[in-house]
Amino acid sequence: MECIQGLQHIGLPVNDSKKTRAFYESLGFNVVYETDNGDEHVVFLEQKGLVLETYQNGRAAMVDGAWNHVALDVDDVEAALRECEKLGYLPLEGSIQFLPFFGKGVRFFTILGPDHEKIEFNQKL
């Protein structure tokens, strides 16, 4: 898909946002965005272009395979959705969603891979 610009972030559900933040900061990550999204505290941490989205929801798997999703950066979320639908990949959310992250917000949708891995197509506005 030509609309994919690269990896945007990797999503990780966590049980303790402060503990997770301190851990990744000790590895050299810096907080680039932090907010509350309903009941979840969300922290985006970045180091050398690798961005982790951690969100405290009390549902960390605590086993291998704990990552929740990989988000691909797209420049046109509508085009990405059309291409996915042509391939038979339907959005889990039913349609493009919006979150008020990073000032102007983001628009995104998520599909499942063959092993039920979540792939998010995300456009920063």
Side-chain angles (χ1 to χ4, degrees), residues 63-110:
V63 296
D64 290 344
W67 297 101
N68 178 268
H69 66 275
V70 172
L72 302 175
D73 189 33
V74 298
D75 60 5
D76 185 342
V77 72
E78 287 91 359
L81 179 59
R82 284 191 301 274
E83 289 188 48
C84 283
E85 288 176 335
K86 283 181 190 176
L87 295 168
Y89 308 139
L90 302 178
L92 297 176
E93 305 85 1
S95 63
I96 294 171
Q97 303 296 299
F98 174 83
L99 283 171
F101 291 174
F102 296 103
K104 296 181 180 180
V106 299
R107 296 182 69 216
F108 70 96
F109 67 92
T110 309

Side-chain angles (χ1 to χ4, degrees), residues 22-64:
F23 173 78
Y24 283 102
E25 284 180 327
S26 78
L27 298 177
F29 283 76
N30 296 301
V31 174
V32 294
Y33 186 76
E34 186 170 4
T35 191
D36 289 313
N37 183 35
D39 293 340
E40 296 180 343
H41 186 72
V42 181
V43 181
F44 284 83
L45 300 126
E46 186 268 339
Q47 184 185 80
K48 297 180 183 175
L50 174 60
V51 179
L52 305 177
E53 175 195 11
T54 66
Y55 45 98
Q56 181 176 312
N57 63 6
R59 292 184 290 205
M62 305 299 285
V63 296
D64 290 344

